Amino acid sequence: MNILYLIFGDRLSDHLQARLSILTFMRQMRPHDRIFVVTTSPQYYGGIGPVSPLPVTDDTIKEWEGPLHFFWRVKIKAMQHLLSIRPGEDMLYLDSDTFLRGDYAALCSRLEQGGGLMHLDEGHPSGMKSRSLRMWRQVRGRTYGGVTIGPGHTMWNAGVVGLPGARAAEALELALAVCDGMLADGAERRVIEQYALSIALRETVGLAPAEPWIGHYWGNKEEWNAFASAFFAREHMLGRTAADECADLDTDALRRIPLRVRRSNTQRRLTNLIKRIFKDKIQDR
């Protein structure tokens, strides 16, 4: 199987998240499996065992956004890019803020049997709030790529996208057609690529949740970023290699960190207000 990450820009926290995720998979990967990172910063991914950076430029990213300049269209194009290099092979796309928490062999088995994966079913957009609901009202009953959008097309989280190799090209072509069709119709953009992938995989390979095997901590990045920063700083100071990092990583500790935390808006507003009123004074100049 080929595992794919898409990491752009120089924000170090994103690259630390990806490296942490990579280590969790390296602990269970089979000898023939590979990890690919489509990235504008390939310098961060050299010398990591089974990892192959796939460098892209900012111009490539702009091209992948398409004529209507939708950034998250890039996710579908990155998957197509890997498929052009490794055609017909199973693929697992991962956001950087993910980690392997279950049995890797069982995860691979789902794809080997021809079934697709996304992180989890978030429900139908008709029952969601604000932008997702607005998008649904704009696209319901319309046909894109030969598929008429209806009540059976729920919204799946696209932090994980698993594609069986035999039909991966077909699924991605449909996802791109749905995405571009919705963009051309002026639909609300916030979750178009996510909905397009949900529709395409449902229509081609079927969908099951990857959540039993993969954790996605989009709702608690602050705590996870702190863990990653401390772990890699310690490993660097000890002169550890990537293989050492893999051995040193305490996956039980990872499982104890919450994936989602609901933080108080009142607390955040009061903290920001206090910072504005009581500003630090620089005394060393």
PDB file of all heavy atoms in Angstrom, residues 139-175:
ATOM      1  N   VAL A 139     -26.765  22.466  -4.282  1.00  0.00           N
ATOM      2  CA  VAL A 139     -26.395  21.363  -5.183  1.00  0.00           C
ATOM      3  C   VAL A 139     -27.397  20.214  -5.198  1.00  0.00           C
ATOM      4  O   VAL A 139     -27.301  19.332  -6.056  1.00  0.00           O
ATOM      5  CB  VAL A 139     -24.994  20.810  -4.832  1.00  0.00           C
ATOM      6  CG1 VAL A 139     -23.955  21.917  -4.863  1.00  0.00           C
ATOM      7  CG2 VAL A 139     -24.986  20.095  -3.480  1.00  0.00           C
ATOM      8  N   ARG A 140     -28.346  20.180  -4.275  1.00  0.00           N
ATOM      9  CA  ARG A 140     -29.271  19.042  -4.222  1.00  0.00           C
ATOM     10  C   ARG A 140     -30.025  18.904  -5.538  1.00  0.00           C
ATOM     11  O   ARG A 140     -30.458  19.880  -6.152  1.00  0.00           O
ATOM     12  CB  ARG A 140     -30.250  19.212  -3.069  1.00  0.00           C
ATOM     13  CG  ARG A 140     -31.142  20.430  -3.186  1.00  0.00           C
ATOM     14  CD  ARG A 140     -32.013  20.576  -1.959  1.00  0.00           C
ATOM     15  NE  ARG A 140     -32.804  21.803  -2.010  1.00  0.00           N
ATOM     16  CZ  ARG A 140     -33.557  22.243  -1.010  1.00  0.00           C
ATOM     17  NH1 ARG A 140     -33.638  21.548   0.118  1.00  0.00           N
ATOM     18  NH2 ARG A 140     -34.238  23.367  -1.132  1.00  0.00           N
ATOM     19  N   GLY A 141     -30.148  17.665  -5.979  1.00  0.00           N
ATOM     20  CA  GLY A 141     -30.863  17.380  -7.217  1.00  0.00           C
ATOM     21  C   GLY A 141     -30.088  17.659  -8.480  1.00  0.00           C
ATOM     22  O   GLY A 141     -30.547  17.328  -9.581  1.00  0.00           O
ATOM     23  N   ARG A 142     -28.897  18.222  -8.367  1.00  0.00           N
ATOM     24  CA  ARG A 142     -28.083  18.492  -9.558  1.00  0.00           C
ATOM     25  C   ARG A 142     -27.215  17.281  -9.874  1.00  0.00           C
ATOM     26  O   ARG A 142     -26.931  16.452  -9.006  1.00  0.00           O
ATOM     27  CB  ARG A 142     -27.233  19.736  -9.344  1.00  0.00           C
ATOM     28  CG  ARG A 142     -28.077  20.983  -9.091  1.00  0.00           C
ATOM     29  CD  ARG A 142     -27.306  22.251  -9.289  1.00  0.00           C
ATOM     30  NE  ARG A 142     -28.134  23.421  -9.053  1.00  0.00           N
ATOM     31  CZ  ARG A 142     -27.766  24.672  -9.286  1.00  0.00           C
ATOM     32  NH1 ARG A 142     -26.538  24.917  -9.755  1.00  0.00           N
ATOM     33  NH2 ARG A 142     -28.582  25.684  -9.054  1.00  0.00           N
ATOM     34  N   THR A 143     -26.809  17.200 -11.124  1.00  0.00           N
ATOM     35  CA  THR A 143     -26.040  16.045 -11.585  1.00  0.00           C
ATOM     36  C   THR A 143     -24.632  16.461 -11.959  1.00  0.00           C
ATOM     37  O   THR A 143     -24.440  17.401 -12.743  1.00  0.00           O
ATOM     38  CB  THR A 143     -26.730  15.379 -12.795  1.00  0.00           C
ATOM     39  OG1 THR A 143     -28.049  14.950 -12.409  1.00  0.00           O
ATOM     40  CG2 THR A 143     -25.931  14.174 -13.273  1.00  0.00           C
ATOM     41  N   TYR A 144     -23.662  15.767 -11.390  1.00  0.00           N
ATOM     42  CA  TYR A 144     -22.246  16.023 -11.671  1.00  0.00           C
ATOM     43  C   TYR A 144     -21.556  14.689 -11.958  1.00  0.00           C
ATOM     44  O   TYR A 144     -21.697  13.743 -11.175  1.00  0.00           O
ATOM     45  CB  TYR A 144     -21.560  16.695 -10.484  1.00  0.00           C
ATOM     46  CG  TYR A 144     -22.242  17.955 -10.004  1.00  0.00           C
ATOM     47  CD1 TYR A 144     -22.962  17.961  -8.811  1.00  0.00           C
ATOM     48  CD2 TYR A 144     -22.167  19.139 -10.738  1.00  0.00           C
ATOM     49  CE1 TYR A 144     -23.584  19.117  -8.356  1.00  0.00           C
ATOM     50  CE2 TYR A 144     -22.790  20.299 -10.296  1.00  0.00           C
ATOM     51  CZ  TYR A 144     -23.498  20.284  -9.106  1.00  0.00           C
ATOM     52  OH  TYR A 144     -24.114  21.428  -8.665  1.00  0.00           O
ATOM     53  N   GLY A 145     -20.835  14.622 -13.052  1.00  0.00           N
ATOM     54  CA  GLY A 145     -20.143  13.387 -13.394  1.00  0.00           C
ATOM     55  C   GLY A 145     -21.080  12.208 -13.541  1.00  0.00           C
ATOM     56  O   GLY A 145     -20.682  11.065 -13.287  1.00  0.00           O
ATOM     57  N   GLY A 146     -22.338  12.467 -13.915  1.00  0.00           N
ATOM     58  CA  GLY A 146     -23.326  11.399 -14.067  1.00  0.00           C
ATOM     59  C   GLY A 146     -24.020  11.006 -12.778  1.00  0.00           C
ATOM     60  O   GLY A 146     -24.849  10.085 -12.775  1.00  0.00           O
ATOM     61  N   VAL A 147     -23.727  11.687 -11.663  1.00  0.00           N
ATOM     62  CA  VAL A 147     -24.319  11.359 -10.370  1.00  0.00           C
ATOM     63  C   VAL A 147     -25.243  12.483  -9.931  1.00  0.00           C
ATOM     64  O   VAL A 147     -24.834  13.647  -9.887  1.00  0.00           O
ATOM     65  CB  VAL A 147     -23.232  11.144  -9.294  1.00  0.00           C
ATOM     66  CG1 VAL A 147     -23.873  10.877  -7.936  1.00  0.00           C
ATOM     67  CG2 VAL A 147     -22.306   9.999  -9.689  1.00  0.00           C
ATOM     68  N   THR A 148     -26.488  12.147  -9.618  1.00  0.00           N
ATOM     69  CA  THR A 148     -27.445  13.132  -9.131  1.00  0.00           C
ATOM     70  C   THR A 148     -27.385  13.172  -7.609  1.00  0.00           C
ATOM     71  O   THR A 148     -27.540  12.143  -6.936  1.00  0.00           O
ATOM     72  CB  THR A 148     -28.874  12.785  -9.590  1.00  0.00           C
ATOM     73  OG1 THR A 148     -28.910  12.757 -11.027  1.00  0.00           O
ATOM     74  CG2 THR A 148     -29.872  13.827  -9.086  1.00  0.00           C
ATOM     75  N   ILE A 149     -27.146  14.355  -7.064  1.00  0.00           N
ATOM     76  CA  ILE A 149     -26.932  14.511  -5.630  1.00  0.00           C
ATOM     77  C   ILE A 149     -28.260  14.381  -4.896  1.00  0.00           C
ATOM     78  O   ILE A 149     -29.234  15.084  -5.197  1.00  0.00           O
ATOM     79  CB  ILE A 149     -26.297  15.876  -5.308  1.00  0.00           C
ATOM     80  CG1 ILE A 149     -25.073  16.120  -6.206  1.00  0.00           C
ATOM     81  CG2 ILE A 149     -25.920  15.951  -3.839  1.00  0.00           C
ATOM     82  CD1 ILE A 149     -24.024  15.055  -6.129  1.00  0.00           C
ATOM     83  N   GLY A 150     -28.300  13.448  -3.914  1.00  0.00           N
ATOM     84  CA  GLY A 150     -29.555  13.197  -3.220  1.00  0.00           C
ATOM     85  C   GLY A 150     -29.387  12.873  -1.762  1.00  0.00           C
ATOM     86  O   GLY A 150     -28.296  13.008  -1.191  1.00  0.00           O
ATOM     87  N   PRO A 151     -30.451  12.399  -1.127  1.00  0.00           N
ATOM     88  CA  PRO A 151     -30.435  12.159   0.324  1.00  0.00           C
ATOM     89  C   PRO A 151     -29.480  11.051   0.766  1.00  0.00           C
ATOM     90  O   PRO A 151     -29.130  10.962   1.941  1.00  0.00           O
ATOM     91  CB  PRO A 151     -31.895  11.802   0.645  1.00  0.00           C
ATOM     92  CG  PRO A 151     -32.487  11.385  -0.666  1.00  0.00           C
ATOM     93  CD  PRO A 151     -31.786  12.171  -1.722  1.00  0.00           C
ATOM     94  N   GLY A 152     -29.050  10.191  -0.141  1.00  0.00           N
ATOM     95  CA  GLY A 152     -28.123   9.121   0.224  1.00  0.00           C
ATOM     96  C   GLY A 152     -26.677   9.552   0.297  1.00  0.00           C
ATOM     97  O   GLY A 152     -25.816   8.776   0.737  1.00  0.00           O
ATOM     98  N   HIS A 153     -26.400  10.794  -0.105  1.00  0.00           N
ATOM     99  CA  HIS A 153     -25.019  11.272  -0.146  1.00  0.00           C
ATOM    100  C   HIS A 153     -24.688  12.039   1.130  1.00  0.00           C
ATOM    101  O   HIS A 153     -24.871  13.249   1.205  1.00  0.00           O
ATOM    102  CB  HIS A 153     -24.797  12.143  -1.389  1.00  0.00           C
ATOM    103  CG  HIS A 153     -24.926  11.378  -2.664  1.00  0.00           C
ATOM    104  ND1 HIS A 153     -25.924  11.638  -3.590  1.00  0.00           N
ATOM    105  CD2 HIS A 153     -24.196  10.350  -3.166  1.00  0.00           C
ATOM    106  CE1 HIS A 153     -25.800  10.808  -4.614  1.00  0.00           C
ATOM    107  NE2 HIS A 153     -24.760  10.016  -4.378  1.00  0.00           N
ATOM    108  N   THR A 154     -24.200  11.312   2.116  1.00  0.00           N
ATOM    109  CA  THR A 154     -23.819  11.932   3.383  1.00  0.00           C
ATOM    110  C   THR A 154     -22.416  12.531   3.266  1.00  0.00           C
ATOM    111  O   THR A 154     -21.682  12.279   2.315  1.00  0.00           O
ATOM    112  CB  THR A 154     -23.878  10.922   4.525  1.00  0.00           C
ATOM    113  OG1 THR A 154     -23.035   9.805   4.214  1.00  0.00           O
ATOM    114  CG2 THR A 154     -25.300  10.444   4.755  1.00  0.00           C
ATOM    115  N   MET A 155     -22.066  13.316   4.262  1.00  0.00           N
ATOM    116  CA  MET A 155     -20.770  13.989   4.304  1.00  0.00           C
ATOM    117  C   MET A 155     -19.807  13.184   5.175  1.00  0.00           C
ATOM    118  O   MET A 155     -20.058  12.979   6.364  1.00  0.00           O
ATOM    119  CB  MET A 155     -20.927  15.396   4.878  1.00  0.00           C
ATOM    120  CG  MET A 155     -19.620  16.159   5.026  1.00  0.00           C
ATOM    121  SD  MET A 155     -19.094  16.919   3.497  1.00  0.00           S
ATOM    122  CE  MET A 155     -20.284  18.268   3.404  1.00  0.00           C
ATOM    123  N   TRP A 156     -18.697  12.746   4.577  1.00  0.00           N
ATOM    124  CA  TRP A 156     -17.672  12.027   5.315  1.00  0.00           C
ATOM    125  C   TRP A 156     -16.470  12.936   5.536  1.00  0.00           C
ATOM    126  O   TRP A 156     -16.148  13.776   4.700  1.00  0.00           O
ATOM    127  CB  TRP A 156     -17.232  10.778   4.560  1.00  0.00           C
ATOM    128  CG  TRP A 156     -18.256   9.677   4.558  1.00  0.00           C
ATOM    129  CD1 TRP A 156     -19.473   9.694   3.929  1.00  0.00           C
ATOM    130  CD2 TRP A 156     -18.170   8.420   5.217  1.00  0.00           C
ATOM    131  NE1 TRP A 156     -20.143   8.525   4.156  1.00  0.00           N
ATOM    132  CE2 TRP A 156     -19.370   7.710   4.939  1.00  0.00           C
ATOM    133  CE3 TRP A 156     -17.194   7.814   6.004  1.00  0.00           C
ATOM    134  CZ2 TRP A 156     -19.610   6.427   5.438  1.00  0.00           C
ATOM    135  CZ3 TRP A 156     -17.433   6.535   6.495  1.00  0.00           C
ATOM    136  CH2 TRP A 156     -18.626   5.855   6.215  1.00  0.00           C
ATOM    137  N   ASN A 157     -15.812  12.760   6.671  1.00  0.00           N
ATOM    138  CA  ASN A 157     -14.610  13.533   6.973  1.00  0.00           C
ATOM    139  C   ASN A 157     -13.465  13.049   6.087  1.00  0.00           C
ATOM    140  O   ASN A 157     -13.186  11.848   6.015  1.00  0.00           O
ATOM    141  CB  ASN A 157     -14.249  13.377   8.451  1.00  0.00           C
ATOM    142  CG  ASN A 157     -13.085  14.247   8.860  1.00  0.00           C
ATOM    143  OD1 ASN A 157     -11.956  14.017   8.455  1.00  0.00           O
ATOM    144  ND2 ASN A 157     -13.365  15.253   9.671  1.00  0.00           N
ATOM    145  N   ALA A 158     -12.804  13.993   5.418  1.00  0.00           N
ATOM    146  CA  ALA A 158     -11.778  13.652   4.433  1.00  0.00           C
ATOM    147  C   ALA A 158     -10.363  13.716   4.996  1.00  0.00           C
ATOM    148  O   ALA A 158      -9.396  13.797   4.235  1.00  0.00           O
ATOM    149  CB  ALA A 158     -11.895  14.571   3.215  1.00  0.00           C
ATOM    150  N   GLY A 159     -10.221  13.648   6.335  1.00  0.00           N
ATOM    151  CA  GLY A 159      -8.889  13.558   6.911  1.00  0.00           C
ATOM    152  C   GLY A 159      -8.218  12.244   6.608  1.00  0.00           C
ATOM    153  O   GLY A 159      -6.992  12.114   6.706  1.00  0.00           O
ATOM    154  N   VAL A 160      -9.025  11.241   6.241  1.00  0.00           N
ATOM    155  CA  VAL A 160      -8.542   9.936   5.772  1.00  0.00           C
ATOM    156  C   VAL A 160      -9.317   9.586   4.524  1.00  0.00           C
ATOM    157  O   VAL A 160     -10.544   9.696   4.496  1.00  0.00           O
ATOM    158  CB  VAL A 160      -8.767   8.836   6.836  1.00  0.00           C
ATOM    159  CG1 VAL A 160      -8.264   7.483   6.316  1.00  0.00           C
ATOM    160  CG2 VAL A 160      -8.099   9.188   8.147  1.00  0.00           C
ATOM    161  N   VAL A 161      -8.603   9.170   3.476  1.00  0.00           N
ATOM    162  CA  VAL A 161      -9.249   8.702   2.246  1.00  0.00           C
ATOM    163  C   VAL A 161      -8.513   7.451   1.790  1.00  0.00           C
ATOM    164  O   VAL A 161      -7.341   7.510   1.431  1.00  0.00           O
ATOM    165  CB  VAL A 161      -9.211   9.760   1.121  1.00  0.00           C
ATOM    166  CG1 VAL A 161      -9.918   9.221  -0.134  1.00  0.00           C
ATOM    167  CG2 VAL A 161      -9.847  11.058   1.574  1.00  0.00           C
ATOM    168  N   GLY A 162      -9.193   6.309   1.849  1.00  0.00           N
ATOM    169  CA  GLY A 162      -8.589   5.051   1.420  1.00  0.00           C
ATOM    170  C   GLY A 162      -9.187   4.584   0.106  1.00  0.00           C
ATOM    171  O   GLY A 162     -10.408   4.482  -0.030  1.00  0.00           O
ATOM    172  N   LEU A 163      -8.317   4.294  -0.865  1.00  0.00           N
ATOM    173  CA  LEU A 163      -8.763   3.931  -2.212  1.00  0.00           C
ATOM    174  C   LEU A 163      -8.164   2.597  -2.635  1.00  0.00           C
ATOM    175  O   LEU A 163      -6.932   2.460  -2.707  1.00  0.00           O
ATOM    176  CB  LEU A 163      -8.333   5.004  -3.219  1.00  0.00           C
ATOM    177  CG  LEU A 163      -8.979   6.377  -3.073  1.00  0.00           C
ATOM    178  CD1 LEU A 163      -8.200   7.411  -3.876  1.00  0.00           C
ATOM    179  CD2 LEU A 163     -10.429   6.330  -3.540  1.00  0.00           C
ATOM    180  N   PRO A 164      -8.998   1.591  -2.930  1.00  0.00           N
ATOM    181  CA  PRO A 164      -8.468   0.354  -3.486  1.00  0.00           C
ATOM    182  C   PRO A 164      -7.921   0.599  -4.885  1.00  0.00           C
ATOM    183  O   PRO A 164      -8.548   1.296  -5.695  1.00  0.00           O
ATOM    184  CB  PRO A 164      -9.674  -0.583  -3.498  1.00  0.00           C
ATOM    185  CG  PRO A 164     -10.869   0.308  -3.458  1.00  0.00           C
ATOM    186  CD  PRO A 164     -10.461   1.555  -2.744  1.00  0.00           C
ATOM    187  N   GLY A 165      -6.754   0.045  -5.182  1.00  0.00           N
ATOM    188  CA  GLY A 165      -6.047   0.380  -6.410  1.00  0.00           C
ATOM    189  C   GLY A 165      -6.827   0.137  -7.692  1.00  0.00           C
ATOM    190  O   GLY A 165      -6.722   0.901  -8.648  1.00  0.00           O
ATOM    191  N   ALA A 166      -7.642  -0.919  -7.736  1.00  0.00           N
ATOM    192  CA  ALA A 166      -8.322  -1.291  -8.970  1.00  0.00           C
ATOM    193  C   ALA A 166      -9.279  -0.206  -9.456  1.00  0.00           C
ATOM    194  O   ALA A 166      -9.501  -0.072 -10.667  1.00  0.00           O
ATOM    195  CB  ALA A 166      -9.077  -2.611  -8.775  1.00  0.00           C
ATOM    196  N   ARG A 167      -9.845   0.593  -8.534  1.00  0.00           N
ATOM    197  CA  ARG A 167     -10.825   1.599  -8.937  1.00  0.00           C
ATOM    198  C   ARG A 167     -10.460   2.998  -8.454  1.00  0.00           C
ATOM    199  O   ARG A 167     -11.297   3.901  -8.472  1.00  0.00           O
ATOM    200  CB  ARG A 167     -12.221   1.216  -8.438  1.00  0.00           C
ATOM    201  CG  ARG A 167     -12.695  -0.150  -8.947  1.00  0.00           C
ATOM    202  CD  ARG A 167     -14.157  -0.383  -8.681  1.00  0.00           C
ATOM    203  NE  ARG A 167     -15.009   0.459  -9.496  1.00  0.00           N
ATOM    204  CZ  ARG A 167     -16.342   0.467  -9.434  1.00  0.00           C
ATOM    205  NH1 ARG A 167     -16.972  -0.325  -8.577  1.00  0.00           N
ATOM    206  NH2 ARG A 167     -17.057   1.265 -10.207  1.00  0.00           N
ATOM    207  N   ALA A 168      -9.221   3.161  -8.028  1.00  0.00           N
ATOM    208  CA  ALA A 168      -8.796   4.456  -7.500  1.00  0.00           C
ATOM    209  C   ALA A 168      -8.886   5.554  -8.555  1.00  0.00           C
ATOM    210  O   ALA A 168      -9.361   6.666  -8.279  1.00  0.00           O
ATOM    211  CB  ALA A 168      -7.371   4.363  -6.956  1.00  0.00           C
ATOM    212  N   ALA A 169      -8.421   5.273  -9.770  1.00  0.00           N
ATOM    213  CA  ALA A 169      -8.446   6.284 -10.831  1.00  0.00           C
ATOM    214  C   ALA A 169      -9.874   6.715 -11.131  1.00  0.00           C
ATOM    215  O   ALA A 169     -10.163   7.916 -11.281  1.00  0.00           O
ATOM    216  CB  ALA A 169      -7.772   5.737 -12.088  1.00  0.00           C
ATOM    217  N   GLU A 170     -10.786   5.750 -11.209  1.00  0.00           N
ATOM    218  CA  GLU A 170     -12.196   6.038 -11.474  1.00  0.00           C
ATOM    219  C   GLU A 170     -12.786   6.908 -10.366  1.00  0.00           C
ATOM    220  O   GLU A 170     -13.497   7.898 -10.637  1.00  0.00           O
ATOM    221  CB  GLU A 170     -12.967   4.731 -11.584  1.00  0.00           C
ATOM    222  CG  GLU A 170     -14.464   4.891 -11.780  1.00  0.00           C
ATOM    223  CD  GLU A 170     -15.205   3.574 -11.698  1.00  0.00           C
ATOM    224  OE1 GLU A 170     -14.558   2.515 -11.528  1.00  0.00           O
ATOM    225  OE2 GLU A 170     -16.451   3.604 -11.774  1.00  0.00           O
ATOM    226  N   ALA A 171     -12.505   6.554  -9.123  1.00  0.00           N
ATOM    227  CA  ALA A 171     -13.052   7.306  -7.994  1.00  0.00           C
ATOM    228  C   ALA A 171     -12.549   8.740  -7.987  1.00  0.00           C
ATOM    229  O   ALA A 171     -13.313   9.687  -7.743  1.00  0.00           O
ATOM    230  CB  ALA A 171     -12.692   6.604  -6.683  1.00  0.00           C
ATOM    231  N   LEU A 172     -11.260   8.933  -8.266  1.00  0.00           N
ATOM    232  CA  LEU A 172     -10.690  10.283  -8.233  1.00  0.00           C
ATOM    233  C   LEU A 172     -11.168  11.128  -9.410  1.00  0.00           C
ATOM    234  O   LEU A 172     -11.381  12.338  -9.272  1.00  0.00           O
ATOM    235  CB  LEU A 172      -9.170  10.202  -8.212  1.00  0.00           C
ATOM    236  CG  LEU A 172      -8.576   9.663  -6.903  1.00  0.00           C
ATOM    237  CD1 LEU A 172      -7.072   9.492  -7.023  1.00  0.00           C
ATOM    238  CD2 LEU A 172      -8.916  10.574  -5.721  1.00  0.00           C
ATOM    239  N   GLU A 173     -11.348  10.507 -10.563  1.00  0.00           N
ATOM    240  CA  GLU A 173     -11.889  11.241 -11.711  1.00  0.00           C
ATOM    241  C   GLU A 173     -13.300  11.733 -11.410  1.00  0.00           C
ATOM    242  O   GLU A 173     -13.662  12.872 -11.745  1.00  0.00           O
ATOM    243  CB  GLU A 173     -11.888  10.345 -12.955  1.00  0.00           C
ATOM    244  CG  GLU A 173     -10.507  10.117 -13.547  1.00  0.00           C
ATOM    245  CD  GLU A 173     -10.510   9.072 -14.652  1.00  0.00           C
ATOM    246  OE1 GLU A 173     -11.626   8.638 -15.046  1.00  0.00           O
ATOM    247  OE2 GLU A 173      -9.422   8.680 -15.109  1.00  0.00           O
ATOM    248  N   LEU A 174     -14.097  10.873 -10.767  1.00  0.00           N
ATOM    249  CA  LEU A 174     -15.453  11.279 -10.409  1.00  0.00           C
ATOM    250  C   LEU A 174     -15.425  12.379  -9.349  1.00  0.00           C
ATOM    251  O   LEU A 174     -16.176  13.355  -9.430  1.00  0.00           O
ATOM    252  CB  LEU A 174     -16.251  10.074  -9.908  1.00  0.00           C
ATOM    253  CG  LEU A 174     -17.691  10.350  -9.458  1.00  0.00           C
ATOM    254  CD1 LEU A 174     -18.498  11.020 -10.569  1.00  0.00           C
ATOM    255  CD2 LEU A 174     -18.372   9.052  -9.003  1.00  0.00           C
ATOM    256  N   ALA A 175     -14.546  12.235  -8.353  1.00  0.00           N
ATOM    257  CA  ALA A 175     -14.441  13.263  -7.310  1.00  0.00           C
ATOM    258  C   ALA A 175     -14.093  14.612  -7.912  1.00  0.00           C
ATOM    259  O   ALA A 175     -14.659  15.649  -7.528  1.00  0.00           O
ATOM    260  CB  ALA A 175     -13.393  12.855  -6.275  1.00  0.00           C
TER     261      ALA A 175
END
